[in-house]
Amino acid sequence: MPTEIERKFLTRDDSWRDGHILKKVRYRQGYLGSSPASSVRIRISDHDAFLNIKGVTIGASRAEYEYPIPENEAAELLEHLCDKPLIEKTRYYLEYQGHTWEIDVFEGDNDGLVVAEVELGSEDESFAMPPWAGKEVTEDARYYNSCLARSPFKDWGR
Amino acid sequence: MPTEIERKFLTRDDSWRDGHILKKVRYRQGYLGSSPASSVRIRISDHDAFLNIKGVTIGASRAEYEYPIPENEAAELLEHLCDKPLIEKTRYYLEYQGHTWEIDVFEGDNDGLVVAEVELGSEDESFAMPPWAGKEVTEDARYYNSCLARSPFKDWGR
């Protein structure tokens, strides 16, 4: 089973923008419902579209399946069938001491939220913690994109 | 948007088995949750596997999207992520006066249920009603396969 291992952190400030940004990609994505066991995501990026299935989280690992789909069908699925609000964000790919970090800067109903993820080869792989990385939220379901689609950041009542 | 138009009937008896059966295919399928707006199905047949997304029904038409996926991944998704019970059935493809009918003979938790569907080019297309076709259940959500996965025939308490 393909498995994704990632750890997720809030950001302390914007100083990651001064780092080595490899690329940035804008994403629009939405969810076709979700069950306690899984979520089904439709995502359009600058150049392509994918359907993605994630299983329940067990620690930081979860089963993940990804299939390319035609971009026009992805746009229809987002508009007509996915839960609203859609998730809109720009993802910055950043290198920091041998690991690639993904910094998601959210827009729309999740404007103001910035989350940094690092993907690992195994759950106990060590990595250098960047100075701009703050509190770890790997286990906090509120930060799952599937949860942000139902309960967006603007409604958190901080 | 690709659209599927089909009408669904119960069967009065087994006399359809004497008709012109074109082929039969065994299906195992399950659903990755479902929302009020859509359902996401994983289906393995004798020879291939597909992920299929259906939108809400409007009359007999509903939006439908279908993507081939690797059979081993489909088997994992069915086993680990799909709602239980899975739907198991044999589908008989039958020709009757110019239309192809699909007769689903269910097994497992839906044993005893037999449903016949005819696919049409438009909602008002006419077709010959076979003698073995009984009550129409096109609009009855209980007969959706996605509903049979949550509320199987054996629990209907007839």
Side-chain angles (χ1 to χ4, degrees):
Chain A
M1 186 187 304
T3 299
E4 179 182 60
I5 300 171
E6 57 193 22
R7 293 180 63 180
K8 189 184 291 188
F9 300 86
L10 299 183
T11 51
R12 294 183 198 280
D13 55 44
D14 271 359
S15 62
W16 57 267
R17 290 183 184 272
D18 302 326
H20 182 208
I21 293 172
L22 304 167
K23 62 173 176 173
K24 67 174 191 175
V25 182
R26 195 155 185 291
Y27 290 115
R28 261 178 80 223
Q29 66 192 48
Y31 293 84
L32 289 164
S34 57
S35 77
S38 65
S39 67
V40 180
R41 184 185 74 198
I42 305 296
R43 174 188 270 178
I44 298 182
S45 77
D46 298 337
H47 307 297
D48 47 31
F50 284 90
L51 183 150
N52 176 291
I53 301 167
K54 287 192 185 187
V56 284
T57 302
I58 304 161
S61 308
R62 39 183 179 168
E64 179 162 9
Y65 302 85
E66 189 166 70
Y67 307 109
I69 63 174
E71 202 172 323
N72 65 320
E73 295 188 2
E76 288 178 5
L77 288 164
L78 284 179
E79 185 179 352
H80 298 296
L81 298 187
C82 287
D83 298 335
K84 302 297 180 300
L86 301 178
I87 300 282
E88 300 184 78
K89 64 186 181 183
T90 299
R91 172 168 287 181
Y92 295 80
Y93 293 82
L94 192 81
E95 178 151 343
Y96 186 82
Q97 295 195 16
H99 280 92
T100 299
W101 288 72
E102 299 171 355
I103 321 284
D104 283 349
V105 179
F106 290 84
E107 299 159 40
D109 285 359
N110 288 294
D111 187 46
L113 182 62
V114 179
V115 171
E117 285 183 1
V118 59
E119 192 153 338
L120 303 174
S122 67
E123 283 195 47
D124 56 0
E125 180 179 326
S126 72
F127 59 95
M129 186 72 78
W132 40 260
K135 183 185 169 199
E136 178 160 10
V137 294
T138 306
E139 309 282 346
D140 189 337
R142 289 179 305 164
Y143 293 95
Y144 292 177
N145 280 240
S146 57
C147 293
L148 292 172
R150 285 195 303 273
S151 177
F153 192 56
K154 77 171 174 61
D155 297 336
W156 285 17
R158 287 146 292 141
Chain B
M1 186 186 304
T3 299
E4 180 182 58
I5 300 170
E6 56 193 23
R7 292 180 64 180
K8 189 184 290 186
F9 300 85
L10 299 182
T11 51
R12 293 184 198 281
D13 55 43
D14 270 359
S15 62
W16 57 268
R17 290 183 183 271
D18 303 325
H20 182 209
I21 293 172
L22 303 167
K23 62 172 176 174
K24 67 175 191 174
V25 182
R26 196 157 183 289
Y27 291 115
R28 261 177 81 225
Q29 66 193 48
Y31 293 84
L32 290 165
S34 57
S35 77
S38 65
S39 68
V40 180
R41 184 185 75 200
I42 305 296
R43 173 189 272 178
I44 297 182
S45 78
D46 299 336
H47 307 298
D48 48 28
F50 285 91
L51 183 151
N52 175 291
I53 301 166
K54 286 192 186 188
V56 285
T57 302
I58 305 161
S61 308
R62 39 183 180 169
E64 180 162 8
Y65 302 85
E66 190 166 69
Y67 307 110
I69 64 174
E71 202 172 323
N72 64 321
E73 296 188 2
E76 288 178 5
L77 288 164
L78 284 178
E79 185 178 351
H80 299 295
L81 298 187
C82 288
D83 297 335
K84 301 294 181 303
L86 300 179
I87 300 282
E88 300 184 77
K89 62 186 182 184
T90 299
R91 172 168 287 180
Y92 295 80
Y93 294 81
L94 192 80
E95 178 152 342
Y96 187 81
Q97 295 196 15
H99 280 92
T100 298
W101 287 73
E102 299 170 357
I103 320 284
D104 283 349
V105 180
F106 290 85
E107 298 159 41
D109 285 359
N110 288 294
D111 188 45
L113 182 62
V114 179
V115 171
E117 284 182 1
V118 60
E119 191 154 338
L120 303 174
S122 67
E123 282 194 47
D124 55 1
E125 181 178 325
S126 71
F127 58 97
M129 186 70 80
W132 40 260
K135 182 186 169 197
E136 178 161 11
V137 294
T138 305
E139 310 282 347
D140 189 338
R142 290 180 304 164
Y143 292 94
Y144 291 179
N145 281 240
S146 57
C147 293
L148 292 172
R150 285 195 304 272
S151 178
F153 192 58
K154 77 171 174 61
D155 296 336
W156 285 17
R158 287 148 291 141

